[in-house]
């Protein structure tokens, strides 16, 4: 496999594209959003067919995708995201004069993006990773997910339509098909500057290791899912047992459990365990099994369940029913906190609609759980006001273990906005200091550069005297527009 | 080696310290700056003795150290650095209501810091890495540099005096002595959350690899130096040949060349090469050799020079004189650009007052050089206004290769301010998206966390309604104070 010509073209496109204004980049993204919308009638049926996801969901996902594109378009048109920081010259400073130093974020170069099987649109070809890289100013070499090849090709065509319409270099986006070998070759290519990935732990970790072994190591932004624990407290359960059971089951089984924020772990006080279990069981009864994304995912789900069934610490409240291999059937097991604490295997994500209910007996156990917990994308706390007041220390501990901490609702449904943080401590991601959803995701594909005593006419507009772009800048340590 | 008790104590200190206000953290740092200043009479002679650096330099370095501490104190007292981002709830949004989501940076936990031999104060015990970690809210486990053990111990005592005076937990800072084994054990400890290092490429890369092989990989912020090329253009040289030769030699030989921003590579047009070489030679004559930091550094310097002397591509303008092993004697070699381009070995840093003058013949060669160049902390362009106008493409290429691009002056003398970027593409650092000098250095030790529907009374002050800290926040995508 030789990707030299692809990367050479991408690098050339980069040297042109990075210097376009935020306005021009934003208009390109807006054009892309429009074009995707205009191809909705072709895209949706393809994605439905290739993902087994219902049409309503795919229609919503396309809206999420274009909404996300518009968010990044607005972000780069506004322009303040580049963190312009200016320390003007102080020629008369003693003992030494200060030079004029101006710093901003600059795009890093060609980015390799891997699509996710569970979001054929929003986390795939024109998904968050691709769009935040393009918004930052980086060309994208996109490795299509083999689970939805036709959808991917169609969306790639839309991207090229937008590139053409805006008169941009075609190599700004390259669609690469293939398997693991192709993916590895892309990550190893000397001209790749970063990798973005959403998928399994095994996949993300392998790319991370590969990228670190390069002659020039590059960052891998891998979002690898997690079990997204929910901590339940007795009063809160008492107040709304059925409502919470319904919310939990609905989040657990949404999209046949195929979300990285799927709640696979729920901590329940012993006093309420039986009642809550019954309420959950009642809800689960009404959930029909449904086709998973592809046979490989279903197979992996049932294999994981089968492995867990061999563990005597678990009592099965509802067993999975693997008779139709493509269909995901819900499963729920219960375990004592002391047993759960004894083996890290009980924290391993089972991708699908399976949850482990962990029954705790005491505050001490809760704190031990918090310390023992692996890094998570999200943690949810269901407690009433009084209970929360007594849990400040626990919450302090839980903050160390997640990227997003919820006090209401469920972890599924990741809002695309300015404040979203989708990324937590390892093993949920390989880069806990970044997010793969929301405005801040753009920063993964930029690095700071400082210009010292650069002549005004050469400076990027973002750093020029008089602030021609009208962006927010930190000047001599003070925020100014 | 078992560092469990050290890390347990640091973790406990962290859970307390991270929740202090920016004001309290800032006051702790200010106290430390005062205490260091009050111990100046003891610290300076120790550092002079252990580093062979002149008293004037060490006195200046202590001022730089306390100045840096005050910068971070101001930064955390002001508080906006945490990037508060608020997307308020939209209960009436359709089709789905929006939850209240609030994001900020939060400290990551215990940080392992390695001191640098060439800055016994400003990049060591209470240097930029330690201070930016403490400012962020992280405890520091500091691995003392064996080249200045007494200085390090004395500064550690000052830190503990400040901790005691402010009533903070002693484990906020731990001073660890030892060698490579101890350093490796610290990096491998499961409770370590990040590593900061300033030193050689071999040292930094080894820690980077070690940290990536951990069960939980952690970031290594290693600043590993570079050759900091200067690109000279004919008109500029014509205008000020002697002045530029003087500036170059002064930067090259400052501190016996023991700076990571030391200009070890200078690109000169053929038309001016002979004249510039003569001017440099004249300047070099007046530079007396001076003791290097320690015998190991001097040995490595002469070993590198000796290796280069075996390369026939180099013509030696001034040979090093290794007769007093501890003394660093300047050396200068000349090479044709075509030869320089033929082997990456000519880009390897020689730590000390050695430079390679590369003679180029054409614009094409210059652009090839820019593409061939490894990642650098700094690149300097010496060109007059007219010449710059013709070099926009070259400058575009050079931006890809450095963290700081200078158009006047010399790369040594790294200003500590808000806009400084000290960190460039690999191999100059392992984390080009960060800086180890200046206000932004604090972000290395923080990661984002989002709170969803967190009750107001539990929210950190930085995210509360009404903005009680009066910091700058991004609310619904708009900057507000």
């Amino acid at each position: 496999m030789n990707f030299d010509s692809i990367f050479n073209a991408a690098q050339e496109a980069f040297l042109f594209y990075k210097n376009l204004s935020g306005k021009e980049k934003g208009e390109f993204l807006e054009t892309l959003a429009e074009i995707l919308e205009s191809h909705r009638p072709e895209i949706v049926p393809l994605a439905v067919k290739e993902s087994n996801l219902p049409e309503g969901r795919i229609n919503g996902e396309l809206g999420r995708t274009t909404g996300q594109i518009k968010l990044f378009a607005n972000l780069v048109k506004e322009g303040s995201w580049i963190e312009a920081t200016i320390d003007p010259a102080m020629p008369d400073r003693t003992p030494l004069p200060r030079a004029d130093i101006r710093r901003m974020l600059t795009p890093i170069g060609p980015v390799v993006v891997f699509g996710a099987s569970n979001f054929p649109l929003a986390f795939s070809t024109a998904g968050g990773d691709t769009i935040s890289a393009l918004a930052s100013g980086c060309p994208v070499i996109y490795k299509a997910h083999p689970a939805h090849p036709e959808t991917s090709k169609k969306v790639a065509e839309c991207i090229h339509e937008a590139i053409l319409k805006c008169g941009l270099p075609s190599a700004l986006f390259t669609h690469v098909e293939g398997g693991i070998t192709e993916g590895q070759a892309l990550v190893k290519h000397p001209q790749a500057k970063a990798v973005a990935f959403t998928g399994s732990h095994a996949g993300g970790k392998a790319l991370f290791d590969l990228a670190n072994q390069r002659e020039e190591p590059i960052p891998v932004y891998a979002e690898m899912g997690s079990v997204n624990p929910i901590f339940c407290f007795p009063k809160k359960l008492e107040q709304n047992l059925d409502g919470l059971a319904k919310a939990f089951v609905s989040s657990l089984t949404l999209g046949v459990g195929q979300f990285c924020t799927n709640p696979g772990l729920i901590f329940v006080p012993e006093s309420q365990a039986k009642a809550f279990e019954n309420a959950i069981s009642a809800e689960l009864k009404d959930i029909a099994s449904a086709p998973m994304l592809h046979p490989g995912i279903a197979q992996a789900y049932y294999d994981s369940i089968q492995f867990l069934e061999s563990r005597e610490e678990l009592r099965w409240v509802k067993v999975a029913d693997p008779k139709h291999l493509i269909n995901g059937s819900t499963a729920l097991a219960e375990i004592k906190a002391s047993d759960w604490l004894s083996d890290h295997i009980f924290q391993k994500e089972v991708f699908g609609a399976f949850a482990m209910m962990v029954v705790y007996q005491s505050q001490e156990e809760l704190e031990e759980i918090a310390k023992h917990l692996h890094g998570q994308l999200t943690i949810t706390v269901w407690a009433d006001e009084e209970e929360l007041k007594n849990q400040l220390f626990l919450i302090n501990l839980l903050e160390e273990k997640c990227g997003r901490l919820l006090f209401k609702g469920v972890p599924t449904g990741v809002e695309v906005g300015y404040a979203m943080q989708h990324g937590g401590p390892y093993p949920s991601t390989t880069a806990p200091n970044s997010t793969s959803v929301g405005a801040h995701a753009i920063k993964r594909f930029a690095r700071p550069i400082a210009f010292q005593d650069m002549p005004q006419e050469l400076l990027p507009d973002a750093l020029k005297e008089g602030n021609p772009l009208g962006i927010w800048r930190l000047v001599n340590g003070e925020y100014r527009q």
Side-chain angles (χ1 to χ4, degrees), chain A:
Chain A
M1 221 109 18
N2 191 320
F3 290 121
D4 284 354
S5 58
I6 286 177
F7 276 96
N8 281 333
Q11 177 66 25
E12 202 178 317
F14 171 59
L15 291 175
F16 167 80
Y17 179 66
K18 71 165 183 160
N19 291 316
L20 294 188
S21 66
K23 190 167 167 286
E24 288 164 306
K25 290 182 189 121
E27 283 165 358
F28 162 53
L29 295 179
E30 286 168 345
T31 305
L32 173 56
E34 277 164 34
I35 289 172
L36 283 171
E37 197 49 68
S38 74
H39 288 280
R40 183 182 281 268
E42 303 122 83
I43 294 170
V44 169
L46 279 177
V48 168
K49 185 178 154 231
E50 291 186 321
S51 71
N52 294 324
L53 294 167
E55 194 181 317
R57 147 72 194 271
I58 292 294
N59 259 313
E61 194 181 321
L62 183 52
R64 180 194 174 96
T65 307
T66 54
Q68 183 161 263
I69 295 174
K70 287 174 204 158
L71 176 80
F72 284 108
N74 289 338
L75 191 74
V76 298
K77 284 169 87 176
E78 193 279 328
S80 300
W81 74 273
I82 53 117
E83 299 179 356
T85 308
I86 299 177
D87 292 341
M90 294 179 168
D92 303 326
R93 189 183 64 173
T94 54
L96 288 170
R98 183 170 83 179
D100 179 278
I101 305 175
R102 294 166 190 249
R103 181 191 196 265
M104 63 180 277
L105 298 181
T106 187
I108 51 173
V111 172
V112 175
V113 173
F114 288 81
S117 66
N118 62 336
F119 278 93
L121 302 172
F123 286 78
S124 288
T125 325
D129 288 337
T130 294
I131 298 305
S132 51
L134 289 172
S136 154
C138 299
V140 168
I141 291 100
Y142 180 76
K143 165 61 183 61
H145 198 289
H148 49 261
E150 295 305 320
T151 311
S152 196
K153 240 185 271 181
K154 183 73 212 167
V155 173
E157 281 168 25
C158 293
I159 300 177
H160 280 290
E161 197 180 322
I163 287 174
L164 196 67
K165 195 164 173 190
C166 296
L168 298 176
S170 153
L172 208 48
F173 181 86
T174 309
H175 192 249
V176 174
E177 290 167 69
I180 291 176
T181 321
E182 287 75 12
Q184 289 176 336
L186 292 175
V187 172
K188 280 170 29 183
H189 197 280
Q191 285 171 291
K193 290 297 175 192
V195 177
F197 170 91
T198 303
S200 71
H201 184 83
K205 182 59 164 50
L207 297 181
F208 175 77
D209 289 341
L210 201 63
N212 283 321
Q213 286 153 16
R214 289 165 46 111
E215 193 178 319
E216 177 192 354
I218 54 172
V220 173
Y221 298 100
E223 190 272 84
M224 307 178 289
S226 65
V227 289
N228 306 292
I230 300 179
F231 285 79
C232 303
F233 289 87
K235 273 193 196 160
K236 186 79 180 177
L237 285 187
E238 260 172 50
Q239 289 158 13
N240 188 17
L241 196 85
D242 292 336
L244 293 175
K246 200 182 183 80
F248 170 67
V249 169
S250 149
S251 177
L252 174 68
T253 59
L254 190 71
V256 205
Q258 301 166 114
F259 288 105
C260 45
T261 52
N262 189 55
L265 197 54
I266 184 158
F267 295 96
V268 180
E270 197 179 26
S271 62
Q272 307 280 323
K274 195 66 209 164
F276 198 42
E277 182 195 306
N278 290 341
I280 291 172
S281 291
E283 291 294 332
L284 281 175
K285 273 204 197 97
D286 297 335
I287 307 292
S289 78
M292 295 188 78
L293 293 161
H294 56 83
I297 291 243
Q299 183 69 56
Y301 175 69
Y302 290 114
D303 287 351
S304 299
I305 298 274
Q306 198 178 10
F307 170 80
L308 286 173
E309 282 173 346
S310 70
R311 295 296 300 242
E312 56 184 19
E313 295 95 331
L314 292 166
R315 187 175 68 77
W316 290 82
V317 179
K318 180 178 181 311
V319 292
D321 172 12
K323 69 176 175 251
H324 302 294
L325 191 58
I326 184 72
N327 271 22
S329 136
T330 59
L332 181 73
E334 198 188 280
I335 185 170
K336 279 197 283 188
S338 52
D339 286 335
W340 183 83
L341 283 164
S342 70
D343 196 335
H344 286 278
I345 197 75
F346 298 126
Q347 297 200 51
K348 206 166 173 270
E349 184 184 6
V350 174
F351 195 73
F354 163 74
M356 207 177 281
M357 184 195 276
V358 182
V359 180
Y360 67 87
Q361 296 187 303
S362 66
Q363 186 65 23
E364 293 65 42
E365 233 173 24
L366 266 183
E367 288 172 14
E368 241 187 291
I369 287 166
K371 287 176 185 165
H372 180 73
L373 206 56
H374 296 170
Q376 306 288 337
L377 293 170
T378 74
I379 294 178
T380 301
V381 175
W382 283 347
D384 92 339
E385 241 171 76
E386 281 308 304
E387 285 170 322
L388 273 181
K389 277 185 196 153
N390 298 323
Q391 294 299 342
L392 297 184
F393 182 69
L394 182 78
I395 289 167
N396 205 13
L397 292 176
L398 294 179
E399 284 179 20
E400 300 314 307
K401 299 301 177 78
C402 68
R404 181 164 54 113
L405 189 57
L406 296 86
F407 291 84
K408 260 192 213 167
V410 293
T412 46
V414 181
E415 185 70 39
V416 180
Y418 291 91
M420 179 45 67
Q421 171 58 24
H422 188 62
Y426 188 88
S428 67
T429 75
T430 52
N433 58 352
S434 71
T435 180
S436 66
V437 176
H440 287 278
I442 194 174
K443 297 198 183 168
R444 295 175 296 169
F445 307 115
R447 67 175 174 90
I449 186 166
F451 300 104
Q452 185 164 326
D453 291 324
M454 191 183 228
Q456 278 297 319
E457 60 277 18
L458 258 64
L459 278 171
D461 287 345
L463 297 177
K464 279 199 169 91
E465 278 305 296
N467 195 9
L469 299 183
I471 59 174
W472 286 94
R473 316 198 291 186
L474 191 67
V475 182
N476 261 327
E478 281 176 25
Y479 290 91
R480 288 191 206 160
Q481 194 179 25

